[in-house]
Amino acid sequence: AVAVAVLGIGWRVYKNYTTAAWTDAQAIPTVQIIKLKSARAGSTLTLPGDVQAYTSAPIYAQVSGYVKKWYVDIGTPVKRGQLLAELDTPSLAGESAQGRANLVNAIAAQKLSEATARRYDALFAQGAVARQSKEEKDADLAAKNAAVAAARASLYSVSSQENFRRLIAPFDGVVTSRNVDNGSLVTIGTPTSTPLFTVSDQTKLRVYVRVPQNYASYITPGMEVTFSVPQHPGRVFSRQQLLSEVGGYDYVG
């Protein structure tokens, strides 16, 4: 009985000791330490991009009308000032005729008022009319002069709009889009207005690349960027290659 009691007490003391040691060991946190190293060296980032003309101008109509005739199509090289299309503007022609008639009417009224004012000036000098009558005729002449100036300005505005019937190229380039045909109705001042033509100067190109925010830190000033295009499979272009091979071309990264 004594031996059994001694063995039982000894076993319990041993278990208490091992349990306390295991608890102390578990209380110590275990961590894994690694050395951080930048992965940028030797890594590459491949992103899709768009190649666009450095200078591109959409040609909109400045007056409403119908397309009378277009002269250039997509892919046609054009020079600065070259005629692209002509518009037929019946309403503008009517406004121009009305403006000329208004100017003739205003000039006729001005001449009559001027002659009347001269007569009243002579009569006033002779004391035949009152000063108020003379000043009324002078004021009427000033009003007629202002009416003539307004009619001339209105006619000039309409006449200047007639020049917009001819659509011309703003610079040397290539027509990259045409959205009109003969007889098409062209309206201005509407949200759905589209450019009739687009002229692009393709002597210099620009590469647009959209970089996701997660990779923004990879972009640094002065870094070298290369790109490839489906039209030349297997070829990789860089800035120096473009400048040496085609001359005058450039890209912005």
Side-chain angles (χ1 to χ4, degrees):
V2 172
V4 171
V6 170
L7 288 175
I9 294 172
W11 177 254
R12 293 184 64 180
V13 171
Y14 173 76
K15 294 298 293 181
N16 290 337
Y17 173 78
T18 56
T19 301
W22 181 84
T23 302
D24 293 339
Q26 293 298 319
I28 300 175
T30 302
V31 296
Q32 182 179 4
I33 301 176
I34 60 174
K35 185 177 181 181
L36 298 179
K37 182 179 179 182
S38 176
R40 296 180 185 178
S43 62
T44 60
L45 181 62
T46 303
L47 297 171
D50 298 327
V51 180
Q52 299 181 13
Y54 196 86
T55 303
S56 181
I59 310 299
Y60 287 88
Q62 298 295 319
V63 293
S64 300
Y66 297 90
V67 178
K68 183 178 180 180
K69 187 176 180 60
W70 56 268
Y71 299 96
V72 294
D73 204 350
I74 299 176
T76 304
V78 294
K79 296 293 183 180
R80 179 178 181 180
Q82 182 175 340
L83 183 62
L84 304 179
E86 287 183 296
L87 302 180
D88 187 11
T89 56
S91 60
L92 191 61
E95 292 178 5
S96 179
Q98 183 179 359
R100 286 190 293 268
N102 291 339
L103 179 59
V104 172
N105 188 24
I107 292 176
Q110 179 199 37
K111 290 181 178 179
L112 178 60
S113 179
E114 183 179 4
T116 303
R118 284 199 303 265
R119 287 196 301 269
Y120 269 73
D121 289 341
L123 293 174
F124 176 75
Q126 299 173 7
V129 295
R131 179 182 294 274
Q132 182 177 356
S133 299
K134 171 187 175 302
E135 291 177 351
E136 289 177 355
K137 299 305 178 184
D138 292 340
D140 182 71
L141 177 59
K144 294 301 190 295
N145 291 335
V148 171
R152 281 201 175 99
S154 178
L155 180 59
Y156 175 77
S157 176
V158 175
S159 300
S160 61
Q161 292 182 14
E162 289 183 343
N163 296 329
F164 294 136
R165 295 182 303 177
R166 304 175 74 254
L167 303 178
I168 61 175
F171 48 77
D172 297 350
V174 178
V175 177
T176 56
S177 71
R178 177 182 66 83
N179 301 313
V180 295
D181 209 342
N182 294 339
S184 300
L185 175 62
V186 178
T187 57
I188 62 172
T190 60
T192 58
S193 297
T194 57
L196 277 63
F197 297 91
T198 302
V199 178
S200 302
D201 182 7
Q202 298 182 349
T203 57
K204 182 181 289 188
L205 302 178
R206 187 191 295 255
V207 179
Y208 289 90
V209 179
R210 295 170 178 82
V211 181
Q213 185 176 0
N214 296 338
Y215 300 102
S217 59
Y218 283 74
I219 309 302
T220 58
M223 68 183 302
E224 182 66 21
V225 179
T226 60
F227 68 94
S228 59
V229 292
Q231 291 79 4
H232 300 279
R235 296 191 61 183
V236 178
F237 296 91
S238 65
R239 178 186 178 91
Q240 297 299 328
Q241 285 179 325
L242 291 176
L243 294 178
S244 61
E245 292 182 9
V246 294
Y249 279 66
D250 196 3
Y251 74 93
V252 178

